[in-house]
Amino acid sequence: MKFIKMVTQKSYQHVVEQIQTAIIDGELKQGDCLPSEMKLKDAFDTSRGTIREALRVLEQKGLISIRTGVKGGAVIKAVNTEAMSDSMALLIRHGNVSLPHLAEFRKLLEGHVAQQAARLANLEDIRGLKDILAKIQILINTDPPGWEDFHRLDANFHQELARIGQNPLLQANLTTIHENIHTYFHQYLPFSRELLDEDYQDLCKIMAAVERQDEGEARIIAQHHVARFSELMAEHQYAQKIPDKRLPGNKEA
């Protein structure tokens, strides 16, 4: 591979862009090793510090991994959605996404995923969805004390819908949301058997629409499902922030 030498005004980004392009174009493949820092320095006609900064950025993007030791160096990784998923996970996990914004994103995403599943699902896919629902029914019959086990199966159901939809970007985003949204659920969605049953019934309705290949109905049910539970969380969040003026000791009581 031949790299283009840097012009004086260019920075480490020049190096990043060329290596990134080589990976995207297939010139550099998963498992390939980049030349040593000294060889890259000569190839780009730049400083070793610039090369190190470029490698650090490429590693942050998830495009390379840096191995240490005698046989160490920069190795090309598979191009995937890992870095994007990690960033979204941090946003959700640390509460940097508001409930309204999360609800808006989920309505768009989960509505489309359900619609695509209704269009593409085969008999094996339907059996897979029904198996998850059967496990949820068994769980409900044990009268669980909280959301934890249900959320795991609920996430499996939504992730299966995304897999059926065959779009890796949508699948990565939805998986990340359901792996991290429990932070919001545990804080803003009080557990009750009634809500548990309602959630399960919504999933059954989505599955039925998918089985009927009713794309529009699958999308609408999924969106209403997200909207209803998002509104419940928003109401509980609001109640937590507003003190009850009737409580003893409140000067405005």
Side-chain angles (χ1 to χ4, degrees):
M1 166 169 296
K2 185 175 180 180
F3 295 114
I4 301 171
K5 291 186 177 182
M6 290 178 58
V7 293
T8 306
Q9 70 268 25
K10 292 289 181 85
S11 67
Y12 67 90
Q13 192 61 39
H14 175 88
V15 180
V16 171
E17 288 173 358
Q18 285 202 61
I19 294 177
Q20 183 174 271
T21 298
I23 294 171
I24 293 171
D25 291 346
E27 295 179 47
L28 288 171
K29 296 179 172 59
Q30 181 182 2
D32 288 348
C33 294
L34 286 176
S36 66
E37 288 183 5
M38 289 301 297
K39 289 183 179 179
L40 287 171
K41 170 184 171 296
D42 293 338
F44 286 104
D45 193 19
T46 187
S47 69
R48 194 167 183 178
T50 296
I51 294 300
R52 286 179 174 173
E53 181 66 13
L55 294 178
R56 183 187 66 80
V57 172
L58 289 165
E59 185 176 33
Q60 286 181 336
K61 289 186 172 189
L63 296 175
I64 66 171
S65 60
I66 306 295
R67 297 176 182 173
T68 58
V70 178
K71 296 183 179 180
V75 181
I76 306 300
K77 294 175 65 176
V79 178
N80 54 46
T81 59
E82 182 179 338
M84 175 188 70
S85 297
D86 288 346
S87 296
M88 182 181 293
L90 286 172
L91 282 173
I92 296 173
R93 197 175 303 155
H94 292 283
N96 293 328
V97 179
S98 69
L99 281 174
H101 287 159
L102 184 61
E104 180 183 16
F105 184 65
R106 287 186 62 210
K107 281 175 66 177
L108 291 170
L109 180 63
E110 302 213 33
H112 182 74
V113 163
Q115 181 176 349
Q116 289 297 98
R119 183 170 68 87
L120 298 171
N122 56 36
L123 292 177
E124 185 177 351
D125 295 328
I126 297 300
R127 282 195 294 269
L129 292 172
K130 288 183 176 180
D131 285 344
I132 297 172
L133 290 177
K135 292 176 182 177
I136 294 176
Q137 182 64 69
I138 292 171
L139 173 66
I140 291 175
N141 290 339
T142 67
D143 199 18
W147 287 113
E148 186 173 353
D149 290 334
F150 176 83
H151 280 160
R152 176 177 52 80
L153 292 170
D154 176 77
N156 290 345
F157 181 87
H158 289 286
Q159 289 164 11
E160 182 65 8
L161 288 176
R163 184 198 64 77
I164 295 169
Q166 301 177 17
N167 185 320
L169 287 174
L170 294 177
Q171 190 172 354
N173 276 284
L174 190 139
T175 296
T176 300
I177 286 174
H178 280 278
E179 286 179 350
N180 295 280
I181 200 174
H182 62 273
T183 301
Y184 294 82
F185 281 140
H186 290 318
Q187 187 172 1
Y188 300 126
L189 192 64
F191 176 79
S192 73
R193 177 58 186 262
E194 181 182 2
L195 284 180
L196 180 65
D197 288 336
E198 287 181 12
D199 204 331
Y200 170 66
Q201 291 303 321
D202 282 352
L203 299 185
C204 290
K205 291 175 184 176
I206 293 172
M207 192 283 300
V210 170
E211 187 173 23
R212 295 195 307 271
Q213 298 184 315
D214 191 333
E215 299 177 36
E217 187 69 8
R219 175 177 56 80
I220 291 171
I221 295 171
Q223 290 180 331
H224 285 175
H225 170 70
V226 171
R228 184 151 55 91
F229 282 88
S230 295
E231 287 169 5
L232 287 172
M233 286 191 288
E235 289 172 5
H236 192 67
Q237 181 189 42
Y238 181 77
Q240 287 181 354
K241 292 180 178 179
I242 304 299
D244 190 339
K245 295 181 180 181
R246 296 169 297 177
L247 293 176
N250 192 314
K251 294 180 181 180
E252 298 182 16

